[in-house]
Amino acid sequence: ELLRRHGIGARAETPGRVVKVLQQAFSANGALWRQWHRQTVRLARPEAAKTIAAFVLNKAEGGRAISLKTLPPTTNPRFSHA
């Protein structure tokens, strides 16, 4: 539901519906598929995993602050917001 609410994807509960949704997604030179991709990139939060990891490590370390700079950088350029 979250993805549909943001215009990313469609619900397909039967094999026939899956085929129909895929045909729609890739018709018109993939216009719908590209729309879904654009929306996905807009919602992406590539640093979220690092933020969560820092939070968990902070709690595990008894409240000692953990810097995000000590965690590896995001390496996927498709999701880089730099």
Side-chain angles (χ1 to χ4, degrees):
E1 179 58 32
L2 175 66
L3 297 178
R4 285 190 324 158
R5 197 172 351 150
H6 289 282
I8 305 168
R11 187 175 183 146
E13 296 182 358
T14 66
R17 180 73 179 131
V18 170
V19 170
K20 189 167 195 80
V21 167
L22 289 173
Q23 287 171 336
Q24 291 170 344
F26 292 106
S27 67
N29 202 26
L32 183 57
W33 181 260
R34 286 193 310 278
Q35 174 191 330
W36 291 345
H37 180 264
R38 283 190 306 272
Q39 294 297 95
T40 302
V41 171
R42 282 186 47 220
L43 291 176
R45 300 291 182 263
E47 299 300 316
K50 285 174 40 175
T51 301
I52 293 167
F55 175 80
V56 170
L57 289 170
N58 177 284
K59 294 297 181 185
E61 293 291 325
R64 193 183 104 229
I66 304 293
S67 171
L68 291 178
K69 293 178 183 175
T70 63
L71 300 173
T74 301
T75 58
N76 188 336
R78 295 180 71 186
F79 294 107
S80 177
H81 293 294

